[in-house]
Amino acid sequence: ITSTLDAGTVVGALNSLYPRIDERAKCEGIEKIKTLGDSNMAAAGLFGKEPAEKNALLLIRFAKGMLKDIEDFNAASNVKLFMRIGINSGNLIAGVIGKTKFVYDIWGDTVNVASRMESSGVPSRIHVSESTMSLTNKFIAYTEPVAMEIKGKGIMKTYFLR
């Protein structure tokens, strides 16, 4: 999109959309980690003792809300944006490293797989790992498994929300 629009239009569009997502994250109790280019990283359950199932459901609700935010944005904007969403569940490492420009970040296999769910996903769909599907399948309807080659992991069973 940045190759077809001027900088002011792109920044204006993102400044219209991102406050909606930021407010949704705040209301849902989602921890926004960072925005990197056209990617937005967020997590649930970093500071609490909630069960993994509840955190996975929270992230799915947040993801559905983001898709609604994009839909509402697109209905009112000349700039049309699309989002791929990837979710994975599991342990991770969190913290601040370095001595300058402190940034809270998260690392680990769980984060890498979530990123791969996003990058191998489909616009306007929520793509989840088997671990997230296993935690939430009592409450969420999923497609049949889709076997995908996931960079650094090999073939993995993945799922899309119906």
Side-chain angles (χ1 to χ4, degrees), residues 41-142:
M41 184 188 303
L46 294 177
F47 307 110
K49 302 290 186 199
E50 298 293 340
E53 175 185 280
K54 183 173 181 179
N55 292 320
L57 288 167
L58 191 63
L59 278 170
I60 289 170
R61 186 170 72 201
F62 176 64
K64 287 178 175 181
M66 285 194 303
L67 291 178
K68 175 75 169 106
D69 292 338
I70 292 266
E71 183 181 310
D72 293 347
F73 170 85
N74 284 341
S77 176
N78 292 330
V79 177
K80 305 303 178 202
L81 300 174
F82 300 92
M83 182 180 288
R84 290 186 316 249
I85 298 174
I87 301 174
N88 185 32
S89 301
N91 294 324
L92 52 78
I93 302 163
V96 177
I97 59 173
K99 293 185 178 187
T100 61
K101 295 201 179 209
F102 300 113
V103 177
Y104 181 81
D105 206 350
I106 58 177
W107 306 272
D109 192 54
T110 298
V111 176
N112 293 339
V113 170
S115 176
R116 301 300 187 259
M117 293 299 100
E118 180 274 326
S119 63
S120 63
V122 177
S124 302
R125 300 284 307 272
I126 300 169
H127 190 202
V128 305
S129 66
E130 190 167 23
S131 64
T132 298
M133 184 281 301
S134 295
L135 289 167
T136 61
N137 65 354
K138 295 178 208 163
F139 310 99
I140 305 290
Y142 290 100

Side-chain angles (χ1 to χ4, degrees), residues 145-159:
V146 178
M148 289 192 166
E149 177 74 30
I150 303 298
K151 181 180 170 186
K153 300 299 287 179
I155 300 293
M156 288 182 67
K157 284 186 196 175
T158 69
Y159 301 81

